[in-house]
Amino acid sequence: SCSMVQCFTSRRTVPSLSNTCTVPVCAGVSIGTVSNYLNYPERVSDTLKEKIGASIKELGYTPRRNTLLPQRENAGPRLIGYIMTDIEHSLFTFIHEGAQEVCEENDLQLIALNASSDAQRQNELVKTLIDMNVAGILLSTISDSPEDVAAARAANIPIILLDHTNPRHADQVCCVLENNMAAGQIAADELIRIGCSRIAFAAHSFDYESVQDRQMGVEKTIARTHGSTQLELINSKGLMFEDGYQLGLDIIDTMKRSGLNAIPDGIITVSDALAAGVLSAFHDHNGPRVPEDVCVIGMEGARLETKCPMSLTVVNAPAIDMGRKAMAQMLDYIDNPAAHVHSTTLIEPTLIRRESTRA
């Protein structure tokens, strides 16, 4: 008799075979090896094929094709997987929009998965796409993740990183990202140009590469003023509208206790939702006037909710172009693997002036 315990502890099944949990134990191989035997026989040695085949015959199971996985011979569109850092942030949905345009033009299907800003979940989603044998993986990685790059490489699946540079201690891969340092410089330059001298940079997740780069751009620009402009870093404790609203209430409280000169006269928020929350708090609770007392700049160019009381000046992230560029790189990678050259592409942001800053 064969034990089924190993199958439960692995949390994996082989959908290509009915009641196949006993096969790996009887054959003395892993569940993944049985899956490869059924779906990707070229990955399995002749010796293991013989052992697994004998176990299947002995147990009387009948292999059947896995209809969940795209097959190499399938005449339908190839599948590209896109793992986004967090679907709550429009940067990643805009990237999806650009990537999907290119996919539709090239008979490819794009499937998007949400990592919810969870590194472990991201690792699991990469493994899921590898098990699905996708034609390529676009990864908006949460942090340096050489293990995800290595896993895709080991499976011979092209992988391209979005919104992040090549991880340290990882093989070279293509990366497509916004020039986030330039975004910080653009925002700070604009506030200095219109006369702000007490600038706050409000952000969360300071360990994210994109946040670090934007902060560095702000700091470098303000350093060039040789002390005539002050900088305050504010941890907003989140990146959503509610976090910005609470930040706005805190600023109002400081203003009421210590006066207008005690609060920033220019605020840069790392997300547009944060900025919308700040503006709404100011509007709802008789806070400082915008833009007369305080100017506010967001750093995404998101589709804001209607509850934002005024149009927001933004440093517009080129997210749709990032998605298009990443898929163009992916197509070259898939079609010309031997000749493909890995590169890092920086796409420049642009400033869009609106009501939340002075003319």
Side-chain angles (χ1 to χ4, degrees):
S1 63
C2 299
S3 169
M4 297 179 68
V5 173
Q6 292 186 13
C7 298
F8 291 121
T9 57
S10 72
R11 294 188 178 181
R12 296 181 63 190
T13 60
V14 185
S16 303
L17 197 63
S18 298
N19 299 323
T20 189
C21 289
T22 55
V23 173
V25 181
C26 293
V29 298
S30 70
I31 294 174
T33 302
V34 176
S35 179
N36 283 338
Y37 170 86
L38 295 167
N39 297 296
Y40 320 117
E42 71 277 6
R43 299 181 184 177
V44 181
S45 69
D46 291 338
T47 301
L48 289 180
K49 285 178 184 175
E50 186 175 342
K51 290 176 66 177
I52 296 170
S55 296
I56 289 173
K57 184 176 181 180
E58 177 185 348
L59 294 168
Y61 295 124
T62 302
R64 53 186 170 84
R65 298 298 286 179
N66 181 2
T67 57
L68 297 178
L69 298 182
Q71 303 301 321
R72 295 181 187 278
E73 299 83 7
N74 192 344
R78 293 172 294 177
L79 186 66
I80 301 294
Y82 168 43
I83 299 174
M84 59 182 73
T85 298
D86 199 320
I87 199 171
E88 292 286 345
H89 303 309
S90 64
L91 172 72
F92 305 110
T93 56
F94 280 136
I95 289 173
H96 177 272
E97 185 177 324
Q100 187 166 329
E101 284 181 14
V102 179
C103 283
E104 290 175 351
E105 292 167 359
N106 291 274
D107 195 28
L108 292 164
Q109 290 287 356
L110 183 66
I111 179 173
L113 305 172
N114 180 22
S116 300
S117 299
D118 185 321
Q120 182 177 350
R121 179 175 172 81
Q122 175 182 300
N123 298 154
E124 293 170 354
L125 292 177
V126 168
K127 292 174 184 175
T128 296
L129 292 177
I130 290 172
D131 287 344
M132 292 173 66
N133 191 35
V134 295
I137 297 174
L138 302 177
L139 175 60
S140 293
T141 184
I142 293 168
S143 59
D144 266 5
S145 52
E147 66 278 6
D148 290 333
V149 172
R153 283 291 181 83
N156 199 30
I157 294 176
I159 183 168
I160 291 179
L161 301 185
L162 283 147
D163 200 38
H164 202 284
T165 53
N166 203 93
R168 296 181 294 273
H169 314 300
D171 292 339
Q172 184 70 30
V173 295
C174 284
C175 308
V176 179
L177 61 159
E178 176 187 6
N179 188 342
N180 285 297
M181 186 177 295
Q185 291 172 329
I186 289 170
D189 272 333
E190 178 67 3
L191 291 181
I192 292 169
R193 184 191 70 80
I194 59 179
C196 296
S197 59
R198 303 183 307 278
I199 295 175
F201 177 70
H204 185 55
S205 303
F206 285 92
D207 54 339
Y208 282 16
E209 183 179 65
S210 58
V211 176
Q212 292 173 348
D213 288 348
R214 291 175 187 181
Q215 177 184 335
M216 189 179 301
V218 171
E219 289 175 340
K220 285 190 171 184
T221 300
I222 290 179
R224 291 201 298 267
T225 68
H226 303 292
S228 62
T229 305
Q230 303 170 20
L231 174 63
E232 178 185 3
L233 300 179
I234 299 176
N235 186 346
S236 57
K237 301 178 182 178
L239 299 174
M240 306 312 295
F241 177 91
E242 294 76 14
D243 305 305
Y245 201 93
Q246 183 58 53
L247 174 58
L249 293 178
D250 294 341
I251 292 173
I252 293 171
D253 183 61
T254 299
M255 181 186 72
K256 289 180 177 178
R257 286 187 289 105
S258 304
L260 195 60
N261 289 334
I263 65 171
D265 58 1
I267 300 173
I268 301 168
T269 63
V270 79
S271 75
D272 295 353
L274 267 178
V278 170
L279 292 173
S280 294
F282 288 175
H283 177 268
D284 296 346
H285 298 277
N286 297 316
R289 297 170 302 162
V290 179
E292 293 85 356
D293 301 324
V294 180
C295 295
V296 180
I297 295 181
M299 299 193 74
E300 287 177 339
R303 297 186 180 108
L304 287 175
E305 302 174 53
T306 55
K307 56 186 173 183
C308 186
M310 66 172 59
S311 61
L312 177 67
T313 296
V314 295
V315 179
N316 194 41
I320 293 178
D321 287 341
M322 289 165 61
R324 292 179 182 136
K325 180 63 176 178
M327 270 310 305
Q329 294 276 33
M330 180 66 76
L331 288 171
D332 183 66
Y333 199 161
I334 293 171
D335 297 336
N336 306 289
H340 179 77
V341 177
H342 298 300
S343 62
T344 296
T345 303
L346 287 177
I347 302 181
E348 298 300 321
T350 55
L351 178 70
I352 301 176
R353 295 185 178 99
R354 299 194 181 108
E355 290 179 278
S356 66
T357 54
R358 293 186 287 274

